[in-house]
Amino acid sequence: MSIIEKAVNKLERAVSKPDANGSVQTPKPPVARTAPVETPTPKQGAVKVQSTSAESAPSAFKNFVEIPVARLSASGMVSPDSPRSTIAEEYRSIKRPLLMNINGQTAANVKHPNLIMVASSLSGEGKTFSAINLAMSIAMEQDKSVLFIDADVSKASAGRMLGIDGHTPGLTDLLLDNSVQVKDVLVQTNISNLRILPAGNVHERATELLASENMKSLMQELAERYSDRVVVFDSPPLLLTTEASVLANLMGQILFVVAAEQTSQEAVLEGISKINSDAVVGMLLNKAKHKSISKYGYGYGYGYGYGSRVESTSPEPAS
């Protein structure tokens, strides 16, 4: 039995029943054990939400979107309106090992650690939910800027959740037309340090474009020219398109989403096999329900194994 398989087995035993809301609970990744315990300060999690309108947006950005932060918060997602909510606290711990790798604070030797892909084996496992939450959480850091890329170009569901019109130019337009530059399709938001690269206009070869040379060149540019920016990708499911695995092999870090009591062990192992062995892979068990001290008598949680392809750990119970 492989190490990954053992980790998955332990993850499955660590949870009870799935929950429709897809919320998760904070793990304690192995890399975090040697780091000082984070003590939140009043400033931590605070993020500037601008009242910027399309007319007043900087001229460098042709597009602007007002992210519906109140709607995100009401639907149980990470939002700057609720920086100390349960879901915000949970994703604060999820992002910590990812940021530590970016800052070179771990032993992991990661190439392009600022490129983070949120992946899953199949659809319906909470990948887009997790990708948006991760991007919003990192954007709430005081010293981090985030570029969120909707690379699930056939669905573009992340863009819709973030308030972006389906006809907004984006990734597909950038990959199809060499005269289009990143700044031409970058979308500014009302959150000061969050930018979005939408999926773009529908094209018959949209998914195939993810495996193109233009996509590889774009990844190189984002990793090197914008090395101070965290880039979060919402990708297509790994087992539904071959292009998703090509995209995964361009990443430095991958957050692999597994739905509790939904995703089979076989699908998990097959999905992981599509990932470059040099990438750092974190496994997030989503839609897991467990007992909580909340007054309603229930809560949400996940088991989490974090490390490289050759190292993983058993999930720890929720604290």
Side-chain angles (χ1 to χ4, degrees), residues 135-200:
M136 294 292 290
S137 182
I138 296 176
M140 292 165 69
E141 292 284 315
Q142 295 297 307
D143 58 350
K144 296 293 181 184
S145 62
V146 181
L147 172 59
F148 180 84
I149 299 181
D150 188 355
D152 195 352
V153 292
S154 63
K155 288 188 175 181
S157 56
R160 290 193 297 272
M161 293 176 70
L162 293 170
I164 296 178
D165 183 90
H167 299 291
T168 303
L171 182 59
T172 56
D173 306 272
L174 181 63
L175 297 176
L176 280 169
D177 190 346
N178 289 331
S179 67
V180 177
Q181 300 181 34
V182 174
K183 67 178 183 179
D184 297 326
V185 290
L186 208 59
V187 176
Q188 186 188 26
T189 75
N190 52 316
I191 297 177
S192 59
N193 53 347
L194 176 63
R195 304 287 181 264
I196 300 173
L197 180 56

Side-chain angles (χ1 to χ4, degrees), residues 66-79 81 158-164:
E66 187 86 20
I67 292 179
V69 291
R71 189 175 71 194
L72 292 179
S73 181
S75 62
M77 300 181 70
V78 175
S79 164
D81 282 353
R160 290 193 297 272
M161 293 176 70
L162 293 170
I164 296 178

Side-chain angles (χ1 to χ4, degrees), residues 213-231:
E213 288 301 318
N214 282 351
M215 186 67 182
K216 294 179 182 178
S217 298
L218 175 61
M219 295 300 96
Q220 190 76 14
E221 178 181 5
L222 292 175
E224 297 179 358
R225 183 177 177 183
Y226 302 98
S227 59
D228 60 336
R229 176 178 292 169
V230 181
V231 186

